[in-house]
Amino acid sequence: MLKTTAAYRLLKADPVMAHLISKAVRYEPDARAAQTPFEVLARAIAHQQLHATAANNILTRFIALFEGALFPLPQHVIDTDAARLRAVGFSHAKIAALKDLAAKALAGVVPDRKTLDQLSDGEIIERLTAVRGVGRWTVEMMLMFHMQRPDVLPVDDFGIRNGFRLAYGLKGMPTPKALAEYGERWKPFRSVAAWYLWRANELAKQNLLPKPRHTPRLALQKPRQASRKTRARAKAQRSRVQRRRRA
C-alpha cells in the first residue's frame, strides 16, 4: 500500500512539485479492476493505435467468441484460428502479438498475478517486454495502475515529459535520460510524481500552473530535422510561390 503522507513529504522538498501538489487535486490513482496479467496485456494490445471505443468494440466481439468466459484464456487464443480473430477486428500484427502472448503465458514467461507480485519492477519489465507487441510503456502502465507499484516513472511517456516541461519552465522537451536522472530525487514515490506531471498538462490548459522560480538545466530533445526529400519538396514549393508572385 502506498504511503501517501510519506510521498507528499518527500515530493514537497522539490519546490516545483510542491506547487503542483498545492494546485492539483489530491493524488487518486486510477485503480483498475483486478485482471490477470494475460488479460491486462491482451487488452493493451487491442488498444494499440486505436480509439478506445473501437478497441472496446473489438474486445466485446472477441470475448463473445467464447461463451461463458469472462475473458478468453491463453489456450482459447491458441486454439482459435487467425481468420476468426481477424473477423472480430484484430489486425494481422495484433493476432500475431496475441498468439505470442498466449504462448508465453502458457509457458510461464507471463506468469499469474501471485508470481508477478514477487518480482521487482525491472524483472517484470524484462519478462513482459519479451512478448511480441508489448513495449516498456505498456508494462509501466500495468505496474502503475493494475499493480499499484509506487516507484515507476515512464520517462518515454509524452504527457509526463510535456508536463515536466511545462511545470519546470523548460524551453524544450527533456530527454528521457535527463528526466530519469532528475527523477531520482523522487524515489521511492516516482509513480506519485508521474501522476502529478500528468496533472500539470491539465493545469496549464486552465492557466492554473504556477511559474517555477528556478528552471533546472537539463538536456533537451533536439528538434527532429526534416529529411532531405522533405526539405527539397519545401524548397520547390517556395520557389513556385515566388514565381507566382513575380508573374
Side-chain angles (χ1 to χ4, degrees):
M1 182 65 69
L2 176 61
K3 297 178 181 178
T4 310
T5 303
Y8 283 154
R9 198 159 48 237
L10 172 71
L11 296 178
K12 285 181 178 180
D14 178 338
V16 175
M17 194 59 68
H19 276 302
L20 265 181
I21 291 171
S22 68
K23 294 293 182 180
V25 296
R26 186 173 177 81
Y27 174 68
E28 291 290 346
D30 180 16
R32 310 288 162 84
Q35 297 169 351
T36 65
F38 170 78
E39 180 178 350
V40 172
L41 296 178
R43 288 182 178 275
I45 289 169
H47 276 82
Q48 288 172 355
Q49 299 178 329
L50 284 180
H51 188 278
T53 301
N56 287 330
N57 288 338
I58 290 172
L59 284 167
T60 298
R61 294 192 293 269
F62 174 51
I63 296 169
L65 291 176
F66 311 97
E67 291 185 20
L70 294 176
F71 193 84
L73 299 174
Q75 193 63 53
H76 287 144
V77 176
I78 294 294
D79 294 340
T80 305
D81 60 63
R84 291 189 74 195
L85 295 174
R86 187 78 183 93
V88 303
F90 287 121
S91 66
H92 292 295
K94 289 187 179 182
I95 292 169
L98 287 170
K99 291 281 189 181
D100 188 55
L101 170 63
K104 285 185 167 65
L106 291 173
V109 177
V110 179
D112 58 26
R113 176 60 186 269
K114 184 177 180 180
T115 303
L116 212 61
D117 282 337
Q118 298 171 9
L119 301 178
S120 69
D121 294 349
E123 290 170 329
I124 292 171
I125 290 171
E126 183 178 358
R127 287 183 69 158
L128 300 189
T129 53
V131 177
R132 179 172 181 165
V134 174
R136 184 184 181 92
W137 181 86
T138 297
V139 183
E140 287 172 334
M141 295 302 105
M142 176 180 176
L143 287 168
M144 289 181 71
F145 296 111
H146 291 277
M147 301 184 71
Q148 299 289 292
R149 292 290 177 98
D151 196 32
V152 181
L153 181 62
V155 295
D156 292 309
D157 184 276
F158 176 83
I160 288 175
R161 290 171 63 207
N162 194 55
F164 187 91
R165 178 186 70 83
L166 294 168
Y168 287 79
L170 302 182
K171 293 182 178 179
M173 294 285 274
T175 64
K177 181 181 178 181
L179 180 54
E181 290 174 353
Y182 190 90
E184 287 290 309
R185 69 196 63 200
W186 301 326
K187 284 185 174 182
F189 301 112
R190 289 179 292 179
S191 295
V192 183
W195 192 86
Y196 276 106
L197 291 176
W198 275 318
R199 304 287 80 73
N201 293 279
E202 300 166 5
L203 290 172
K205 290 178 182 177
Q206 301 168 27
N207 293 319
L208 296 176
L209 189 64
K211 291 184 179 180
R213 297 177 181 175
H214 172 70
T215 300
R217 298 183 65 181
L218 267 70
L220 303 181
Q221 192 82 40
K222 293 181 180 179
R224 184 178 295 177
Q225 290 188 340
S227 67
R228 184 178 298 177
K229 181 184 262 186
T230 302
R231 292 197 299 271
R233 191 182 298 123
K235 184 177 180 180
Q237 186 176 6
R238 287 196 299 270
S239 296
R240 287 194 296 272
V241 171
Q242 289 171 356
R243 286 197 297 272
R244 290 195 193 106
R245 286 175 179 173
R246 287 196 296 266

